[in-house]
């Protein structure tokens, strides 16, 4: 009881009592003398649960053993040795007094609070220190990553200059980041992945901007750094740059170095490098080495490109048998695409139909179509290449290719090869064989029949056999009403017959079937132009200009329509665009000079007429305008060369030689003028104008031949009067015959020049670059003119 302290009795009325009382329980100085406390410290007595009547415990019936207590053998009430007791010379291990895990006592008397709401709100977060070095490094690293991403996005959008600027900025900031990180942390904590991505992106942007030297230097920095793992494969990129620079030896060297550093488990990467090596060998003309590379690729992982390049290599060395084997290997390359039957609904299940409709034109289906089209292009090109080389004649070679294709998965290409065979006959000017080959398809399936009939229609149209052209055009349209080429050819035959409205209907139907049929759009524009529906024609050609930006034909037609609409400014503007596309087109330059002349701008007109004469010095209209221009500007000596050229082009026209003589007379060279007139009189003795000028010159100079020329002149004038009387009396036949004879002699009754030849301003209407009737015939793409 000495440890029990009772509170003293106090007066209940004393409100301030008890404040000076002291509880000895809180006296820490007396703990050393406190037996209970010392017992709890030495043993686990203080950690035992309280003894209750409901929970039996061995601690009630036995003393607690300690390290200092008795070592006698104690037995619990359950008959087992006490903890820490010695039995038969063996000490029993100590056990936990309190069971592990959940206990009721721990929660006894507490409220249920699984979310810990009784503890109150969480303490506020510590404010971020923006000025700390670690935070600055994190922000700078984030900025570098953003710049790299922006550079990649700009490159994908086609803005290469912006991509390069972003990449350079990222490189500068990354170097600043490295220096700051070295000051704060150890060098091994540098973010190598970020450095690698920045340098790699910078090298890629240099290469995209054709800055190959800078790109190679940046790649060298990456490759030489041993801390970057797998940097050796970037030598492939360096090899690609050397290939673009036509440095083939270094390209092969770096490709082989990359091949040595890439492990064999990366088979796809190694195969691509081998393909690059083979292509580089083809560039250098080392076809044997190229064949070894492509043969290895075709044996490990066959592909369309490798097979096609292998055929090219064998074709280069002229090995017929190897060409055949390589073509068979190309045919056998698996496409790895689904069959078209997959996209045909097998039942009327709406859910299935909805799924098929969704996948019928998705990205995967488009990729399959592109892969199939690429395979067909390789096979067709290879067949056209080797067919004339593998056999004694190209016809036999085509037949062999057709048989091989028929036995493969590309059966539908056999008919296309037959059509190409006909085209080859056309290129060899063997039209009969071409027609016979195409006529074999009249009994084939619908698609092939339509293509063959379209080509036959085109051939007969070129031969101006419009009846046969129309017949085969009808056959093509009846075989495939949705064939825009057939409809265009049918419209051409109707256009040739002069039925422009009906032709426009066929062209419109062709455009409804295929809005990208540029031939139909061009022809319908010409049709509207023929019908004088200029606004609709202009609309068609403007649409076509949006599709074919640099088409000289389209630009000319737009300028021609503006000229017909009496808008010379717009016509001049479009002709200037035409000149920028075809700067050597003499007719376009002539037309531009004519427009400037009509506007009164002589200097611009002279410039374009002179350029037209420089590119085509045989245009009489241009020559006449230039000669007249020099006469108007009082430079008769310069006009002589143009009229002399005109006399060479038209030697039977006396007016050009008279112009030459007139220029000599105007420039004061009378002797040269007299000699020229005498020469003209010898060639054209019945020309009255020449005699008249001879009489005048001989009179002025005082020569004796004046009487002779005067007598000849009077005789000619009398003959002219007699001729006119005969014409008036109705003797048209005789008068017409003599008139033709006078014309043959170079007479020009309308040419009167009492003071010298006054040159009439030439009304040169330069021929259109494309005549209105020369509308674009359907060229039928690969069926007739394969690329």
């Amino acid at each position: 009881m000495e440890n029990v302290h009772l509170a003293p009795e106090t007066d209940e009325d004393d409100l301030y009592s008890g404040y000076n009382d002291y509880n000895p329980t809180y006296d820490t100085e007396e703990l050393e003398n406190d037996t209970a406390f010392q017992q709890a410290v030495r043993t686990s007595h203080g950690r035992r649960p309280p003894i209750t009547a409901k929970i039996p415990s061995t601690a009630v019936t036995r003393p607690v053993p300690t390290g200092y207590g008795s070592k006698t053998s104690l037995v619990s009430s359950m008959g087992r040795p006490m903890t820490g007791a010695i039995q038969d010379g063996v000490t029993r291990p100590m056990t936990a007094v309190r069971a592990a895990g959940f206990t009721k006592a721990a929660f006894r008397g507490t409220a249920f609070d699984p979310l810990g709401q009784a503890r109150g709100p969480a303490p506020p977060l510590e404010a971020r220190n923006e000025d700390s070095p670690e935070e600055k490094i994190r922000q700078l690293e984030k900025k570098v990553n953003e710049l790299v991403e922006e550079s990649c996005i700009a490159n994908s959008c086609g803005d290469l200059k912006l991509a390069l600027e972003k990449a350079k900025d990222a490189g500068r900031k990354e170097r600043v980041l490295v220096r700051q990180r070295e000051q704060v942390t150890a060098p091994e904590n540098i973010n190598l992945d970020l450095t690698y991505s920045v340098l790699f992106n910078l090298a890629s942007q240099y290469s995209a901007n054709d800055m190959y030297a800078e790109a190679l230097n940046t790649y060298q920095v990456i490759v030489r750094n041993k801390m970057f793992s797998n940097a050796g494969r970037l030598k492939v990129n360096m090899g690609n740059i050397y290939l673009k620079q036509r440095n083939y030896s270094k390209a092969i060297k770096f490709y082989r170095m990359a091949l040595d550093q890439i492990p064999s488990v990366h088979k796809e990467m190694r195969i691509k490098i081998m393909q690059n090596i083979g292509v580089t060998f083809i560039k250098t003309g080392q076809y044997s080495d190229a064949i070894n590379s492509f043969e290895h690729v075709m044996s490990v992982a066959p592909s369309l490109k490798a097979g096609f390049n292998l055929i090219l290599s064998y074709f280069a060395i002229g090995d017929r048998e190897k060409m055949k084997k390589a073509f068979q290997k190309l045919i056998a390359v698996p496409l790895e695409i689904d069959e078209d039957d997959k996209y045909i609904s097998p039942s009327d299940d709406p859910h299935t139909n909805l799924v098929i409709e969704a996948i019928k034109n998705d990205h995967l289906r488009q990729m399959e179509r592109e892969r199939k089209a690429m395979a067909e292009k390789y096979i067709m090109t290879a067949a056209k290449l080797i067919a004339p080389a593998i056999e004694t004649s190209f016809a036999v070679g085509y037949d062999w290719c057709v048989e091989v294709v028929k036995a493969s998965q590309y059966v539908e290409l056999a008919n296309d090869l037959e059509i190409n065979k006909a085209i080859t006959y056309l290129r060899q000017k063997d039209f009969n064989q071409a027609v016979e080959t195409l006529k074999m398809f009249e009994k084939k399936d619908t698609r092939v029949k339509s293509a063959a009939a379209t080509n036959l229609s085109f051939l007969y149209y070129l031969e101006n056999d419009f009846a046969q052209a129309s017949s085969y055009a009808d056959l093509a349209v009846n075989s495939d009403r949705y064939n825009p080429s057939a409809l265009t050819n049918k419209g051409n035959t109707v256009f040739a017959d002069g039925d422009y409205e009906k032709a426009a209907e066929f062209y419109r139907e062709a455009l409804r079937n295929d809005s990208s049929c540029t031939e139909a759009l061009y022809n319908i524009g010409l049709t509207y132009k023929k019908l004088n529906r200029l606004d609709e024609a202009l609309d068609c050609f403007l649409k076509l200009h949006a599709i074919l930006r640099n088409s000289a034909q389209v630009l000319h037609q737009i300028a021609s329509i503006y000229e017909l609409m009496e808008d010379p400014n717009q016509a001049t503007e479009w002709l200037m665009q035409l000149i920028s596309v075809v700067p050597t087109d003499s007719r376009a330059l002539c037309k531009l000079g004519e427009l400037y002349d009509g506007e009164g701008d002589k200097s611009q007109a002279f410039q374009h007429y002179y350029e037209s004469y420089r590119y085509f010095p045989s245009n009489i209209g241009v020559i006449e305008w230039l000669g007249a221009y020099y006469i108007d500007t009082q430079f008769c000596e310069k006009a002589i060369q143009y009229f002399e050229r005109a006399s060479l082009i038209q030697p039977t026209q006396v007016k050009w030689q008279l112009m030459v003589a007139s220029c000599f007379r105007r420039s004061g060279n009378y002797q040269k003028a007299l000699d020229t007139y005498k020469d003209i009189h010898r060639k054209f003795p019945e020309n009255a104008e020449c005699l008249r000028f001879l009489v005048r010159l001989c009179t002025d100079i005082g020569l004796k031949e004046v009487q002779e020329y005067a007598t000849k002149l009077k005789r000619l004038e009398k003959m002219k009067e007699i001729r006119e009387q005969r014409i008036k009396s109705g003797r048209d036949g005789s008068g017409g015959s003599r008139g033709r004879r006078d014309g043959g002699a170079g007479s020009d009754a309308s040419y009167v020049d009492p003071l010298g030849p006054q040159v009439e301003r030439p009304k040169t209407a330069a021929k259109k670059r494309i005549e209105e009737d020369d509308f674009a015939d359907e060229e039928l793409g690969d069926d007739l003119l394969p690329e």
Side-chain angles (χ1 to χ4, degrees):
M1 293 297 293
E2 61 183 14
N3 295 326
V4 178
H5 303 280
L6 299 177
E9 294 182 4
T10 57
D11 189 4
E12 293 180 358
D13 296 333
D14 189 3
L15 298 177
Y16 298 98
S17 62
Y19 285 98
N20 297 324
D21 295 340
Y22 177 74
N23 191 346
T25 304
Y26 301 104
D27 188 4
T28 57
E29 296 179 357
E30 298 295 326
L31 289 178
E32 294 180 358
N33 302 323
D34 193 336
T35 307
F37 179 77
Q38 292 298 326
Q39 183 73 12
V41 170
R42 293 190 184 96
T43 65
S44 60
H45 176 77
R47 294 193 297 271
R48 292 185 179 181
I51 300 173
T52 61
K54 298 180 181 179
I55 303 176
S57 176
T58 59
V60 178
T61 59
R62 61 181 174 87
V64 180
T66 64
Y68 304 99
S70 172
K71 298 189 184 292
T72 58
S73 178
L74 301 177
V75 181
S76 68
S77 61
M78 301 298 294
R80 65 180 178 85
M82 296 294 294
T83 300
I86 299 175
Q87 186 176 6
D88 297 331
V90 179
T91 305
R92 182 180 183 274
M94 297 289 291
T95 58
V97 177
R98 176 177 162 187
F102 177 80
T103 58
K104 293 181 179 180
F107 297 98
R108 190 170 293 159
T110 60
F112 179 74
D113 187 16
L115 299 180
Q117 297 179 356
R119 292 178 295 182
L125 297 175
E126 295 182 3
R128 178 181 295 177
N129 188 2
E130 299 289 343
D131 296 332
S132 64
E134 292 80 5
E135 184 61 29
K136 289 181 179 180
I137 289 174
R138 280 196 296 270
Q139 292 297 328
L140 189 56
E141 186 172 335
K142 181 179 179 183
K143 181 62 177 177
V144 171
N145 282 314
E146 291 176 355
L147 286 171
V148 172
E149 291 179 2
E150 292 172 3
S151 175
C152 296
I153 293 172
N155 182 282
S156 63
C157 296
D159 194 347
L160 301 181
K161 291 185 178 180
L162 178 61
L164 180 58
E165 290 299 324
K166 296 287 186 182
K168 289 181 178 179
D169 195 11
R172 288 190 291 267
K173 284 185 167 49
E174 194 274 334
R175 287 191 291 273
V176 174
L177 173 63
V178 170
R179 286 195 295 267
Q180 291 186 4
R181 194 182 290 275
E182 287 177 349
Q183 295 174 1
V184 176
T185 60
E188 58 269 13
N189 293 330
I190 296 176
N191 191 346
L192 291 177
D193 293 337
L194 181 61
T195 305
Y196 181 90
S197 63
V198 169
L199 291 174
F200 178 64
N201 179 61
L202 181 60
S204 300
Q205 303 308 330
Y206 275 134
S207 179
N209 285 271
D210 296 336
M211 301 172 66
Y212 297 130
E214 292 82 353
L216 288 173
N217 292 335
T218 309
Y219 278 128
Q220 286 286 3
V221 172
I222 302 175
V223 171
R224 291 176 179 174
N225 194 335
K226 303 300 182 182
M227 299 178 68
F228 295 136
S229 59
N230 298 325
R233 66 180 59 191
L234 292 183
K235 291 181 180 179
V236 177
N237 294 15
M238 300 175 71
N240 293 339
I241 292 176
Y242 283 121
L243 184 64
K244 292 178 181 178
Q245 293 180 330
R246 300 179 184 274
N247 193 345
Y248 301 124
S249 59
K250 279 198 172 184
I252 294 173
K253 173 184 174 182
F254 276 88
Y255 285 144
R256 286 176 169 170
M257 290 169 64
L259 194 64
D260 293 338
Q261 295 186 13
I262 293 177
S264 58
V265 294
H266 298 158
K267 292 183 180 179
E268 186 176 355
M269 186 69 177
R270 294 177 62 87
I271 288 298
K272 290 181 178 179
I273 296 175
M274 288 295 295
Q275 289 184 2
N276 286 7
I277 293 174
V279 171
T280 310
F281 277 131
I282 290 179
K283 294 279 188 181
T284 58
Q286 298 173 275
Y287 301 112
S288 299
D289 295 329
I291 288 171
N292 293 333
S293 298
F294 292 126
E295 285 283 6
H296 174 73
V297 173
M298 292 299 290
S299 63
V300 176
S303 65
L304 295 169
K305 289 184 179 180
F308 182 74
N309 288 332
L310 183 61
I311 292 174
L312 289 180
S313 302
Y314 282 129
F315 178 80
I317 63 176
D319 193 333
R320 294 185 177 182
E321 294 301 322
K322 292 293 182 65
M323 275 190 276
K324 290 182 178 181
K325 292 181 180 179
F327 186 75
Q328 291 172 340
K329 289 181 180 179
L330 178 64
I331 291 287
V333 173
L335 276 180
E336 298 179 355
I337 62 175
D338 294 328
E339 298 294 334
D340 292 338
D341 297 340
K342 173 184 175 181
Y343 301 97
I344 300 176
S345 178
S347 63
D348 295 333
D349 184 10
H351 180 70
T352 305
N353 294 337
L354 187 62
V355 172
I356 292 176
E357 190 67 27
I359 67 174
K360 189 179 293 185
N361 199 31
D362 60 356
H363 292 294
L364 179 60
R365 179 59 173 161
Q366 293 175 6
M367 185 188 72
E368 290 177 348
R369 289 200 192 102
E370 291 174 0
R371 182 174 177 82
K372 186 176 181 181
M374 182 179 67
E376 293 177 353
K377 179 183 177 182
Y378 281 134
I379 293 170
M380 291 292 294
T381 307
K384 288 185 286 186
L385 178 69
I386 68 173
I390 58 178
E391 299 292 347
T392 55
S393 67
F394 81 92
V396 180
Y398 265 107
D399 292 339
W400 182 87
C401 292
V402 169
E403 292 300 323
V404 173
V405 169
K406 284 183 178 179
S408 68
Q409 56 183 328
Y410 305 98
V411 182
E412 63 275 6
L413 292 182
N415 294 324
D416 295 333
L417 282 174
E418 291 283 359
I419 293 178
N420 276 283
K421 180 181 176 182
I423 294 172
T424 308
Y425 278 125
L426 284 177
R427 290 175 176 169
Q428 296 183 355
K429 309 298 182 182
D430 194 348
F431 296 100
N432 294 329
Q433 285 290 341
V435 172
E436 290 297 325
T437 304
L438 291 173
K439 284 183 177 180
M440 292 191 305
F441 292 96
E442 293 183 7
K443 297 181 180 180
K444 297 281 185 177
D445 60 357
T446 303
R447 186 187 67 84
V448 179
K449 183 195 298 184
S450 178
T454 301
N455 287 341
L456 286 169
S457 173
F458 176 67
L459 288 176
Y460 284 119
Y461 184 86
L462 293 180
E463 295 178 351
N464 292 327
D465 190 349
F466 299 125
Q468 287 284 355
S470 179
S471 173
Y472 279 102
D474 290 334
L475 177 61
V477 172
N478 294 333
S479 300
D480 185 2
R481 188 71 187 183
Y482 299 99
N483 186 351
S485 302
L487 292 167
T488 301
N489 280 355
K490 180 59 181 176
N492 291 350
T493 58
V494 176
F495 188 100
D497 293 337
D499 192 350
Y500 303 123
E501 291 289 352
K502 191 173 181 181
E505 285 295 328
F506 282 108
Y507 295 143
R508 281 194 289 267
E509 186 175 355
L511 288 172
R512 284 194 295 269
N513 293 336
D514 183 6
S515 59
S516 63
C517 184
T518 55
E519 294 85 359
L521 186 57
Y522 184 89
N523 291 351
I524 197 172
L526 290 177
T527 307
Y528 287 142
K529 189 178 176 182
K530 278 285 188 182
L531 295 171
N532 203 30
R533 293 156 63 174
L534 299 181
D535 291 333
E536 296 179 54
L538 181 62
D539 185 48
C540 291
F541 287 119
L542 288 175
K543 288 179 181 177
L544 195 57
H545 175 65
I547 302 172
L548 308 174
R549 301 297 299 179
N550 295 323
S551 173
Q553 296 178 346
V554 176
L555 292 171
H556 165 77
Q557 291 297 338
I558 294 174
S560 175
I561 292 174
Y562 274 121
E563 185 183 6
L564 294 175
M565 297 171 70
E566 299 180 354
D567 191 348
N569 293 329
Q570 284 291 335
T572 302
E573 181 181 345
W574 284 97
L575 280 174
M576 292 297 292
Q577 293 188 37
L578 174 60
I579 294 302
S580 66
V581 175
V582 279
T584 60
D585 193 325
S586 61
R587 292 179 180 175
L589 289 165
C590 178
K591 173 59 69 175
L592 200 54
E594 180 184 347
L595 290 175
Y596 278 119
D597 188 29
E599 294 293 318
D601 192 345
K602 298 294 183 183
S603 62
Q604 288 288 343
F606 170 75
Q607 178 183 349
H608 291 95
Y609 272 123
Y610 182 77
E611 288 294 317
S612 176
Y613 172 79
R614 191 163 65 89
Y615 290 119
F616 184 65
S618 300
N619 190 328
I620 292 296
V622 174
I623 293 173
E624 188 175 1
W625 191 95
L626 288 171
Y629 174 80
Y630 280 119
I631 290 176
D632 289 344
T633 55
Q634 304 300 321
F635 291 101
C636 299
E637 299 88 350
K638 292 185 177 181
I640 293 173
Q641 61 174 331
Y642 296 103
F643 292 127
E644 286 179 344
R645 181 172 289 274
S647 66
L648 292 175
I649 297 172
Q650 296 180 344
T652 59
Q653 293 292 328
V654 69
K655 66 177 182 178
W656 305 122
Q657 300 183 38
L658 289 173
M659 297 293 288
V660 173
S662 176
C663 288
F664 281 126
R665 186 173 57 82
R666 284 171 175 267
S667 61
N669 194 346
Y670 296 107
Q671 185 61 44
K672 190 70 174 176
L674 181 61
D675 295 340
T676 306
Y677 280 126
K678 287 181 179 181
D679 186 59
I680 295 171
H681 179 64
R682 284 193 299 271
K683 294 178 181 178
F684 306 98
E686 295 183 1
N687 187 271
E689 297 300 326
C690 179
L691 288 172
R692 189 176 294 113
F693 284 114
L694 280 171
V695 170
R696 182 170 298 176
L697 279 175
C698 290
T699 303
D700 294 340
I701 298 175
L703 297 178
K704 296 179 180 179
E705 294 95 335
V706 63
Q707 190 62 37
E708 178 186 354
Y709 293 131
T711 304
K712 291 181 180 180
L713 180 61
K714 288 180 181 179
R715 189 184 305 119
L716 280 176
E717 289 176 348
K718 187 176 291 186
M719 290 176 61
K720 184 178 179 181
E721 290 177 1
I722 295 172
R723 194 181 304 117
E724 289 176 354
Q725 289 176 1
R726 288 177 180 177
I727 293 174
K728 290 179 181 179
S729 63
R731 297 178 182 179
D732 298 333
S734 175
S737 175
R738 291 179 183 177
R740 284 192 294 273
R741 186 171 64 252
D742 291 341
S747 175
D748 189 358
S750 64
Y751 188 87
V752 179
D753 184 13
L755 299 177
Q758 299 292 330
V759 180
E760 183 181 0
R761 178 70 58 238
K763 298 179 181 179
T764 56
K767 288 186 179 180
K768 297 178 178 143
R769 188 177 186 280
I770 304 166
E771 295 295 337
E772 293 175 356
D773 293 339
D774 296 338
F775 52 89
D777 297 318
E778 180 66 34
E779 293 188 355
L780 308 184
D782 291 342
D783 292 339
L784 188 60
L785 296 177
E787 295 182 359

